[in-house]
Amino acid sequence: MLAGLAMKRKWQQKMRQAGKPYDKPNMVAGSNVQVCWEKFARYFEVELRQVNLRDGCYVMDPEEAVKLVDENTILVCAILGSTYTGEFEDVKLLNQLLLENNQKTGWDTPIHVDAASGGFIAPFLYPELEWDFRLPLVRSINVSGHKYGLVYAGVGWVIWRSKAELPEELIFHINYLGAIQPTFTLNFSRGSSHVIAQYYQFIRLGIEGYTLIMKNCQDNAQHLAQKLKETGMFNIISKEIGVPVVTYSLIKKDRKLYFTEHDVADRMRQYGWIIPAYTMAPNLEHMHVLRVVVREDFSNSQVVKFVRDTKKVMDFLNNEESVSSTLCAPTQDQGIHSPLDHGYHSDGHPQVKHEQLHPQINHEQPKKTIKEKWKNFHWRKSTEARVTEARATQPKKIKSSTGGHFGGRVC
């Protein structure tokens, strides 16, 4: 937000000097942009122009981005480590295309690099990758210390190419803390522990230490991706070059699954794993994915355990799907019914409904998740077992909290 605000103010100054309107600024980014940029656009009244993603391309296309640029564009935001897949956007190509566009139009459209995750990855794993101030149009970069900076949550950094890129009018000079100090923040009173922790990590680890840690994270991420791929049940969406993130989805093949990525994530919680499951960015909402962020403490042994637990979950869900497919399969006399479409007698046999006797009537069944189907199904079966046991020990009519009908008798 501070970097965007500085670029907005610089653009306004330039437009004032040229005697042009400066009330309709815009910025360009991919639809995979982090929500902080949507906040910036809304809070500081900047139009957000987004490049939609497409199948097979899950980051901003630089050529499409340049097409959205005009005289009122205050910045183009490139992401070094997409939230969805961890992939790096091509900042070098974006810089080249914008240079050509600026030369042709006379504009000076700058680049801001959102390196929240990749800023502590690229310098150590891909030192030859040009994404930073080696590119002339990159004017500012932000990075999160609480991600791969190896500091606990709450600290982030923004740096500018030069003092000229940060308008002096945005900086406040205060003297009531014992000395004259410049400040440019959205809040004032803050603890210093995060800054001290980051400083400590820099001094203790240095370039060599960070390189070793990031290389280990990358190795574990690639190992995890390979093992998940070997199961034959998942597509790997993330790329090898990028943040150590493994994004994957279920292989649908030619069959309809009775469970989704969200069911996989829900079941994995029983083994202690909390995995984000979500839809992709706008224009790719039909894609559902799971994501694992491999950090310093995600060891190779945890990779092995994670894959083992994933196989257990998939075995469980596939077995449920097999049973569900059998119970739901249409016969000559009936349409498709789920286990919840039937009532059950106390002997466990399904109660025939009029839909089965009149298959020509099309009854639209509401879609239910596999979890909802089987939770209800097993509850009914267990209730029947309790009633049967009670009848055996007490032949008289009994009262059940369910108030259900079993075998034609009211309990």
Side-chain angles (χ1 to χ4, degrees), residues 169-220:
E169 63 189 88
L170 294 177
I171 301 174
F172 291 84
H173 298 270
I174 58 173
N175 64 3
Y176 48 79
L177 293 181
I180 296 179
Q181 296 181 354
T183 176
F184 178 39
T185 61
L186 293 177
N187 54 355
F188 187 73
S189 297
R190 294 181 299 164
S192 62
S193 57
H194 304 90
V195 180
I196 295 169
Q198 186 76 84
Y199 180 68
Y200 170 77
Q201 292 285 52
F202 284 163
I203 298 301
R204 177 177 181 269
L205 297 173
I207 293 176
E208 183 182 2
Y210 269 97
T211 301
L212 289 172
I213 290 172
M214 300 312 156
K215 184 67 169 62
N216 185 59
C217 291
Q218 182 191 47
D219 290 345
N220 287 333

Side-chain angles (χ1 to χ4, degrees), residues 102-160:
N102 288 345
Q103 186 175 9
K104 181 174 61 177
T105 60
W107 303 334
D108 184 29
T109 309
I111 297 173
H112 172 82
V113 179
D114 183 349
S117 298
F120 275 102
I121 298 294
F124 309 112
L125 295 185
Y126 316 104
E128 302 304 318
L129 181 67
E130 295 183 34
W131 61 273
D132 47 23
F133 295 135
R134 286 171 285 184
L135 304 175
L137 290 182
V138 175
R139 306 288 169 78
S140 54
I141 300 170
N142 72 277
V143 61
S144 295
H146 69 254
K147 292 191 173 93
Y148 289 94
L150 308 180
V151 180
Y152 37 87
V155 65
W157 309 95
V158 57
I159 55 177
W160 285 268

Side-chain angles (χ1 to χ4, degrees), residues 12 20 26 46 78 120-121 159 164 265 281 310 328 371 400:
Q12 287 176 327
K20 296 180 179 180
N26 68 69
V46 176
F120 275 102
I121 298 294
I159 55 177
T310 298
C328 298
K371 181 179 178 182
S400 167

Side-chain angles (χ1 to χ4, degrees), residues 239-259:
K239 309 294 184 184
E240 286 191 9
I241 297 180
V243 177
V245 166
V246 180
T247 304
Y248 55 106
S249 63
L250 289 166
I251 293 179
K252 306 296 193 301
K253 293 183 179 177
D254 296 325
R255 64 191 180 108
K256 178 178 175 59
L257 293 178
Y258 286 82
F259 58 90

